[in-house]
Every structure is written in structure tokens, then in C-alpha cells.
Amino acid sequence: MSLTLRTISREQHLAYIQTLPGASHCQVPAWADVKTEWRSENLGWFDKSGELVGVGLVLYRQLPKLKRYLAYLPEGPVINWHAPNLDEWLQPMLAHLKQQGAFSVKMGPPVVIRRWDAAAIKSGIQDPDVKRLKDVQATEVVPQAFEVADRLRKMGWQQAEDGGAGFGDVQPRYVFQVPLANRSLDDVLKGFNQLWRRNIKKAEKAGVEVVQGGYEDLAEWQRLYEITAVRDKFRPRPLSYFQRMWTVLNNEDPNRMRLYFARHNGVNLSAATMLVVGGHVWYSYGASDNIGREVRPSNAMQWRMLRDAYAMGATVYDLRGISDSLDETDHLFGLIQFKVGTGGEAVEYVGEWDFPLNKLLHKALDIYMSRR
């Protein structure tokens, strides 16, 4: 199969994504408009007959003072990763990016390597000798993913350092997902642990109501998000980021981004953003006030979002990044504890990979990034 690669229009890119059962929200054309500090390009792979068979959104970040770029394909490109001739897909891409002035390429193959169901994670948490997810026997291992990793290494790609739980611009290696395909909503609810089910009932009894918001409600979202940032000690993104995200993503597809609030007695207690690409639905950002926790607004909101995802025909509800730490003293442990209550599964991807086109500049960037 001889493949050719060239720049394509956003329309071609979007039309291709729309034919797929799902793809990462970081690989839709409008994501480039969310990331305004990067220059972008849409790439297309064509087979012998001229048919478009793969796409990639590339973000270019310029090095200070130099006309050289880091080329980044977050959770992409969207190609046939299990093709035996993977180099025929990636070599033309590297050649093209080099021509564009890239000194290094970073990509995140959307390839799952292992899964752990809720029961396996729980037994890991209870075992004092277990500190990390990888110390727990996986419920499912995907052998083809190891082949992909081997092929990449042979081509000269290097596995990047883990990006933690996906805070910042690096995409998470470990995520938490609730599978919805071939399950009834009843099955999904039964999969929740007792505490979650109890909290959902508690919220219902207390009269917590979950509503969808619009663009005009983003300022209220920001209020809750900034309270969360202070409590959890992270640097919040500005309101303008979420306004831009809302505008560009929903211009591309009116159902791409949603906003939810859980309120009690007319007061918003928690909020979340949701992203939709085909059958893949993400809980993207979450926020909550320091008050009203006893009425369990976050549980009520997640259950509503999950039901809405199910009604849309989603095959997976993705709660995004988790840390791989199962150590109760770890500050990120609460995240996996909250998510594991949904009865879903922890999913490990093959992670992000780098290809240094200019080894010297790549090394310099590594040093620069490690000092930030």
C-alpha cells in the first residue's frame, strides 16, 4: 500500500472524522482554534486510489527567536496504528514536518495497551504492597499495542516522559472510562459502588437539580472553577479560554461541547464541561464550590452526564486523566478513588512519543522544559 501525505482543508479533515466511530477531541480541526498559541496544519493520508484514509491535526510551537518548531499531534494522528507497514504512514509525515521547519515531533498514538476493571483496582488499593496501577494484574492486555510500541522504537521514536494525570498541555497516559456499548442504563447504575448509588439517591432526595448551561453561563462556571483551583492548588485557565473553546468547538458541531451545573435551592454547587466526538464522550473539566457538599452535587451531575451520553448513543463515557498511583497518601489518589466508584475501568495508552529531527535542538528543549 503506497501512501501519500499532503495538507488538506479543514472541511476534508472534519468530513473524515465524521465517518469514524470516534476520535480524540484533540484531533478535530476546531481544536487548533482552542490552542491559539500554536500554529496549525491539517494533514491527510491518501491511498493509491486517491481516497483519504487518515488525518492528523498538527500544532506547531515556535522556539524563542528561531524559525524552528516543535510539531505536536495530541492524541493523534488518526491513522491505522495496527497496520504492519506503520513506517509507510509515519515516514512521509516526518519528512513533511521537517520541511515545515520542525526540529522535533511529539505524538500520542490513540492505542490502548492495558485495562483494569474496578474490582482489580479496588484489590490493588487494599493491598499495602501495591503502590502503582502497573503493580496490579491487568484485566485485559492488548498484545497488538506492544507491537506498535516495538515498531515505533525500531523507527527511532522515543517514549516521552509520562505527563502525569494530564494537567497542562501533555495528554494523559492513564484515563478512566465507563464502557456503555451493549449495556443497559440499569447495568451501568448497578456497576456503581454503594457509596456512589447512595450519593445519587441523597442528591435526588435533597432536591439537587442538574441543568445544562450555555455561553452566557461560562462566567458562573469560571467562578466555581477558580474556587476549585485555589482548593486544589493549580493554576486556572482564564475565562477567555473557555469562551473561545465553546465558540469554536460548537461552531464546528453544535453538540461538540456542553456545560452542566448541579444546583441546590437555586445555588450552583458544581459544574462540568463535556466534549463529544462521535461515540466518545468526555467529562473534560470539573469544578465545585466548598459549600453544599453534603447534598452530593458532583455525583448527581456525573450521573446526568452519563445518562445524556448514553442517550446520544455513546459507546464510552471518558472521565479523562488519572494518576497511576494507588497510594492513599498521594495527593492525586482522591481522583482515582472518585472515578473508580463509577464501576468503569482504568485504561493505559501507549503514551506520547518523540522523534528528534534535530537532536541538538531537541535536547535543548528537553533541558528548557525540565527547568520550567
Side-chain angles (χ1 to χ4, degrees):
M1 182 178 178
S2 56
L3 294 162
T4 53
L5 176 128
R6 61 174 182 268
T7 305
I8 55 171
S9 70
R10 291 176 65 136
E11 292 70 29
Q12 282 172 293
H13 184 143
L14 182 61
Y16 181 78
I17 294 276
Q18 284 164 341
T19 66
L20 304 174
S24 169
H25 59 272
C26 302
Q27 282 294 307
V28 299
W31 193 249
D33 302 326
V34 176
K35 299 289 170 190
T36 47
E37 67 277 30
W38 301 70
R39 179 167 74 82
S40 68
E41 186 183 18
N42 306 82
L43 297 181
W45 281 259
F46 294 84
D47 66 12
K48 275 208 292 272
S49 66
E51 193 188 339
L52 185 61
V53 289
V55 295
L57 173 69
V58 189
L59 302 174
Y60 293 98
R61 174 72 70 90
Q62 190 172 349
L63 269 185
K65 302 191 180 70
L66 285 174
K67 268 267 192 266
R68 304 302 294 274
Y69 302 87
L70 166 67
Y72 183 31
L73 294 98
E75 297 184 3
V78 185
I79 59 173
N80 177 8
W81 283 97
H82 296 296
N85 60 337
L86 192 55
D87 54 335
E88 285 183 40
W89 290 81
L90 296 178
Q91 291 308 2
M93 179 181 88
L94 288 172
H96 174 84
L97 298 175
K98 193 172 187 170
Q99 268 182 325
Q100 297 293 307
F103 67 89
S104 187
V105 181
K106 183 185 275 296
M107 65 177 183
V111 175
V112 170
I113 199 159
R114 273 184 280 257
R115 297 175 196 271
W116 293 264
D117 65 17
I121 300 165
K122 268 181 234 164
S123 69
I125 291 170
Q126 283 155 6
D127 184 339
D129 296 331
V130 168
K131 293 290 178 232
R132 304 231 159 250
L133 211 42
K134 57 174 175 286
D135 302 334
V136 178
Q137 193 172 351
T139 320
E140 184 195 343
V141 176
V142 185
Q144 300 95 309
F146 292 95
E147 289 168 27
V148 172
D150 281 346
R151 283 183 191 135
L152 291 175
R153 272 188 210 99
K154 283 194 182 105
M155 278 180 243
W157 289 85
Q158 301 166 3
Q159 198 151 18
E161 289 298 306
D162 274 0
F167 305 115
D169 272 330
V170 191
Q171 301 309 318
R173 177 163 182 176
Y174 295 90
V175 300
F176 203 87
Q177 297 177 348
V178 181
L180 299 176
N182 308 317
R183 296 175 77 193
S184 69
L185 263 182
D186 249 11
D187 289 339
V188 175
L189 185 59
K190 279 189 191 120
F192 281 32
N193 70 13
Q194 264 179 318
L195 183 65
W196 262 85
R197 291 203 299 270
R198 220 172 28 238
N199 286 345
I200 290 167
K201 276 213 178 80
K202 203 181 234 180
E204 244 167 66
K205 261 204 187 107
V208 171
E209 114 190 87
V210 180
V211 295
Q212 266 186 261
Y215 179 87
E216 65 288 352
D217 301 300
L218 286 168
E220 173 63 358
W221 147 263
Q222 191 71 16
R223 179 184 75 80
L224 291 167
Y225 173 62
E226 286 180 9
I227 291 170
T228 310
V230 171
R231 184 177 66 238
D232 294 348
K233 302 182 179 56
F234 65 85
R235 201 169 81 215
R237 292 189 183 275
L239 172 60
S240 57
Y241 180 83
F242 295 102
Q243 288 172 328
R244 184 167 71 241
M245 201 171 167
W246 181 275
T247 306
V248 300
L249 292 177
N250 288 333
N251 278 349
E252 180 175 273
D253 179 330
N255 202 29
R256 185 76 81 222
M257 181 176 175
R258 291 181 172 200
L259 177 63
Y260 287 84
F261 291 98
R263 57 171 66 143
H264 185 240
N265 296 335
V267 179
N268 292 316
L269 298 176
S270 61
T273 61
M274 179 199 260
L275 298 175
V276 182
V277 183
H280 203 129
V281 171
W282 292 264
Y283 153 54
S284 171
Y285 283 88
S288 60
D289 206 329
N290 299 325
I291 56 164
R293 301 190 143 209
E294 67 287 348
V295 295
R296 306 297 175 199
S298 294
N299 299 87
M301 185 172 64
Q302 287 297 340
W303 178 228
R304 162 73 193 273
M305 288 165 73
L306 218 149
R307 293 200 316 267
D308 285 2
Y310 188 89
M312 277 185 248
T315 53
V316 64
Y317 181 71
D318 195 323
L319 291 129
R320 281 302 268 171
I322 50 171
S323 150
D324 69 333
S325 173
L326 299 181
D327 180 353
E328 296 188 19
T329 60
D330 190 301
H331 73 290
L332 290 171
F333 175 74
L335 205 56
I336 193 166
Q337 201 176 29
F338 177 74
K339 294 176 182 183
V340 83
T342 60
E345 54 191 19
V347 176
E348 181 191 3
Y349 285 89
V350 292
E352 294 199 315
W353 293 72
D354 293 321
F355 195 99
L357 292 164
N358 178 319
K359 289 193 169 61
L360 203 68
L361 285 176
H362 178 82
K363 188 91 188 112
L365 179 80
D366 261 3
I367 293 165
Y368 169 71
M369 293 307 280
S370 66
R371 285 185 183 154
R372 282 180 69 182

